[in-house]
Amino acid sequence: MALAALVAVVVAAVGLFAFSQVDWPAFTSSNVTQAVTTVLQVVCIAVIGVAVLMFRARKAERTAKLLSWAGLSGFVTTTLGLPLAATTLYLHGVSVDQQFRTEYLTRLTDSAALHDMTYVDLPPFYPAGWFWVGGRVANLLGMDGWEAFKPYAIGSIAVVAVIALVLWTKLIRRDWAVVAALAVTAVVLAYNSPEAYGAVVNLLIPPVLILAWGALDRPGSSRFAGAGAVLGTGVFLGYAATVYTLYLGFAAFAVTLMAVIAAVLAARAQNTWKAALNPLIRLVAIAVIAGLIALTVWAPYLLEALSGAPAESGTAMHYLPDSGAVLPFPMLHFSLVGALCMLGTIWLISRFLFSRRARALGIGVIAVYLWALLSMMFTVAGSTLLGFRLEPVLIALLAAAGVFGFFEFAGWIVLATSENPRVKAVLVALGVIGAISFAQNIPQVLAPDIAVAYSDTDGNGERGDKRPPGAEANYADIDRIIREQLGREPHDLVVLTADIGFLSFYPYFGFQGLTSHYANPLADFRARAELIEQWSELTTPDELIAALDSAPWRAPDAFVFRQGADGYTLRLAEDVYPNDPNVRRYTVTFPKELFDDPRFTVTEQGPFVVVTRN
């Protein structure tokens, strides 16, 4: 596995470096990068195809391994790296969700300590695993966090795709494993890659569920049989806990459902309830392993919360878009992925009672639908389980099942035609054509996210499409002004601003986060918002200074406002769930007179006003 990861790192690094040496036109204004992407995708699929043939022929299997690893990591690097080659930003730029993700990576690039992305003196609430590793990579390479986001996101997906391939090869025959890994990787790239830290968990879910079923359902085995599967499942859940809480919750739910089913089957097979204990004991062992790994990231937050620090319930789950109010049925979409998912659905239903693979993946699919229904029921209690965000997981599970369905149904067709070589050739051709057709369309599926990556202004004050930059081009000057006037490093300062993009590029701590949905519950987002409004209603500098000094949290060392007609403005946000959209934006205005005092320094920079405390 380590060698496979190393190969993926080398392929991704070499590929991204090579892409950066060419002056590409923007993806949004030219078809050149799409054309070159298609060519390289075909090359990668051809390399993977050669590896499959070598595995089937049982020839030079070490070489076949290297080819499969290189081909799959090259496929990821090409599919994401080339369309983004003319911009420094990753999918969806530094807008909306990607803004706080970039802020998190910037924070953990500046320091290896587990700090909250925004709030000073608080441990992180959102799992830091993926961001911490990325921060250490960026720090090692001497890159800013925002600058490292794109190559790290692409590289990490490539590495985990290859690790998933290695896991597949330990569970099923190698030629099928390579194709299954390619199919899952392709759909994850299409539907999950903007959320890179989610993609690196999703890639592993299908093979891990098969592994978990092997750990839990072992009729007639000795007590310690399948210990490796128990360990592997626990390690995966622990890994998920350090990376993405939602996928951890789903995976833990699916594994628990498996344990219950395995316990019932064992009790029925042996006609005694004691037989049900073995799967449940194994589930407990998995939970203990996962918990110990999870503590490496979660311990600081749990200790702070248990110490009696006041905490809100949080609003991270307060989101119910249209897609969250209905069940997803990707197998009914009239598309290639819809056809693959339909094939997978048919295979799961027809083979559920007879195939351990089908049972494992089938339980995973059932778990997705149960989670979605529970999420809808939770709306009555004033929250959700974000069930709509599991659709990429559902598609990945059905894609894996679709590959197995294709192989098994194709085998039946070949047998029914007396192994006619022309029939074999037709089936192979259909598979290859389908793979290439879907692969070359992935950049178009991602086109809206790619467009934002080109239209957003990066940390250098430039846009990937070479058009005039936005107001964010002033961030470098704002950083310079704050440093010069306060004489301290960004990580030693707290800034109150509604332009969170500034915190995405520079590691200042913020007094207030982007929205309550991404805010640390220990930070008391609502009370901070109310305090900011109270400050804006004051009338004299003395009142403001007194209010800042008496604040229950560390007060801002600097303010970054926008120029307004009646003063200096901040555009804040509040949670308005169950409405959709779930966020209401509103503006608070600080009178200019509040800062007309020698204890403040006011500097105008473009549309911004920078105020520092002397």
Side-chain angles (χ1 to χ4, degrees):
M1 211 171 258
L3 179 59
L6 178 61
V7 169
V9 168
V10 171
V11 170
V14 171
L16 293 174
F17 176 77
F19 299 158
S20 70
Q21 301 306 298
V22 179
D23 186 17
W24 302 98
F27 180 88
T28 51
S29 59
S30 172
N31 293 319
V32 169
T33 49
Q34 172 70 74
V36 180
T37 298
T38 300
V39 171
L40 293 183
Q41 283 178 323
V42 171
V43 171
C44 292
I45 291 173
V47 171
I48 293 171
V50 171
V52 170
L53 293 176
M54 293 173 71
F55 279 131
R56 290 184 69 86
R58 300 183 182 278
K59 294 180 178 179
E61 293 197 355
R62 290 185 178 179
T63 302
K65 283 183 183 180
L66 290 173
L67 288 176
S68 65
W69 299 341
L72 188 60
S73 54
F75 178 77
V76 172
T77 305
T78 293
T79 303
L80 295 179
L82 252 178
L84 294 170
T87 177
T88 57
L89 301 179
Y90 186 60
L91 297 170
H92 214 76
V94 282
S95 294
V96 197
D97 290 11
Q98 222 67 307
Q99 199 169 67
F100 92 83
R101 294 167 189 154
T102 307
E103 180 188 3
Y104 209 173
L105 189 58
T106 293
R107 170 73 53 232
L108 294 176
T109 297
D110 181 68
S111 170
L114 291 178
H115 283 300
D116 184 81
M117 67 187 87
T118 300
Y119 301 102
V120 70
D121 300 328
L122 283 184
F125 174 67
Y126 282 86
W130 185 82
F131 298 94
W132 188 89
V133 174
R136 296 305 86 214
V137 170
N139 188 274
L140 179 66
L141 298 176
M143 302 173 72
D144 291 332
W146 71 266
E147 187 182 14
F149 196 105
K150 182 185 82 171
Y152 172 61
I154 296 171
S156 62
I157 293 174
V159 168
V160 176
V162 171
I163 290 174
L165 168 57
V166 174
L167 180 55
W168 278 114
T169 61
K170 303 298 182 183
L171 299 171
I172 59 176
R173 49 187 287 185
R174 290 178 175 177
D175 53 337
W176 287 25
V178 174
V179 179
L182 175 61
V184 172
T185 300
V187 298
V188 168
L189 290 179
Y191 303 109
N192 209 174
S193 55
E195 202 172 41
Y197 66 113
V200 298
V201 178
N202 193 8
L203 284 165
L204 292 164
I205 289 177
V208 165
L209 289 185
I210 296 174
L211 180 70
W213 185 244
L216 298 167
D217 183 46
R218 304 191 71 86
S221 298
S222 64
R223 179 178 299 178
F224 298 105
V230 170
L231 176 62
T233 304
V235 168
F236 168 75
L237 291 178
Y239 160 73
T242 67
V243 176
Y244 196 1
T245 311
L246 177 63
Y247 284 0
L248 162 69
F250 162 74
F253 176 66
V255 171
T256 302
L257 183 61
M258 284 182 171
V260 172
I261 293 173
V264 171
L265 293 176
R268 289 184 59 185
Q270 299 182 37
N271 200 29
T272 172
W273 66 268
K274 292 183 179 180
L277 292 177
N278 190 39
L280 299 180
I281 291 172
R282 290 168 179 266
L283 177 65
V284 171
I286 289 170
V288 169
I289 294 168
L292 291 174
I293 296 172
L295 285 176
T296 61
V297 164
W298 280 96
Y301 178 83
L302 294 175
L303 289 173
E304 185 75 14
L306 292 173
S307 70
E312 295 181 309
S313 59
T315 62
M317 313 296 274
H318 286 191
Y319 187 35
L320 185 67
D322 292 346
S323 56
V326 294
L327 293 174
F329 293 104
M331 69 288 289
L332 299 181
H333 294 178
F334 191 73
S335 62
L336 278 172
V337 74
L340 183 63
C341 289
M342 177 59 77
L343 188 59
T345 302
I346 295 170
W347 180 78
L348 288 174
I349 294 171
S350 63
R351 297 285 290 158
F352 188 82
L353 297 178
F354 311 103
S355 166
R356 293 180 64 83
R357 276 180 287 119
R359 194 171 294 177
L361 296 175
I363 292 172
V365 170
I366 292 170
V368 170
Y369 284 109
L370 288 176
W371 188 278
L373 290 171
L374 288 171
S375 180
M376 295 177 200
M377 290 177 62
F378 261 64
T379 59
V380 178
S383 189
T384 76
L385 294 177
L386 301 178
F388 70 97
R389 292 197 185 277
L390 292 183
E391 187 166 0
V393 176
L394 175 63
I395 294 173
L397 292 170
L398 291 175
V403 169
F404 300 138
F406 180 82
F407 277 123
E408 291 194 12
F409 297 150
W412 296 344
I413 293 172
V414 169
L415 287 176
T417 57
S418 302
E419 299 191 3
N420 188 317
R422 287 177 293 180
V423 173
K424 290 183 180 180
V426 169
L427 292 171
V428 172
L430 287 175
V432 172
I433 291 170
I436 294 174
S437 178
F438 180 78
Q440 69 179 3
N441 193 53
I442 293 175
Q444 299 307 317
V445 174
L446 296 173
D449 297 295
I450 295 173
V452 177
Y454 279 95
S455 62
D456 275 1
T457 302
D458 65 18
N460 294 323
E462 300 173 346
R463 285 175 48 153
D465 57 11
K466 307 305 181 187
R467 294 181 181 178
E472 297 82 1
N474 291 280
Y475 285 167
D477 288 319
I478 294 173
D479 172 57
R480 175 185 54 78
I481 290 167
I482 295 175
R483 287 173 184 261
E484 289 177 353
Q485 292 181 1
L486 295 179
R488 286 181 280 169
E489 292 298 312
H491 56 241
D492 294 325
L493 299 169
V494 175
V495 176
L496 172 57
T497 181
D499 287 271
I500 303 299
F502 178 63
L503 307 183
S504 298
F505 295 143
Y506 301 97
Y508 293 91
F509 285 101
F511 182 80
Q512 182 66 306
L514 177 64
T515 73
S516 63
H517 306 89
Y518 305 126
N520 193 317
L522 297 173
D524 203 347
F525 182 94
R526 183 181 301 176
R528 285 174 182 258
E530 292 173 353
L531 185 61
I532 293 169
E533 289 190 67
Q534 292 171 15
W535 289 346
S536 70
E537 294 168 358
L538 301 175
T539 57
T540 68
D542 287 337
E543 290 178 343
L544 179 59
I545 290 291
L548 292 175
D549 290 341
S550 63
W553 310 280
R554 178 175 162 183
D557 300 293
F559 301 79
V560 178
F561 297 109
R562 291 277 184 150
Q563 289 273 18
D566 301 319
Y568 305 146
T569 65
L570 293 172
R571 194 160 183 256
L572 304 180
E574 68 172 332
D575 174 45
V576 292
Y577 176 85
N579 293 327
D580 182 28
N582 61 334
V583 174
R584 183 183 76 87
R585 300 286 182 178
Y586 64 99
T587 300
V588 296
T589 302
F590 283 68
K592 297 180 181 180
E593 294 76 17
L594 280 180
F595 305 101
D596 187 10
D597 188 277
R599 289 168 290 184
F600 294 106
T601 299
V602 180
T603 308
E604 295 185 2
Q605 176 61 47
F608 299 97
V609 177
V610 181
V611 179
T612 57
R613 289 189 65 179
N614 296 329

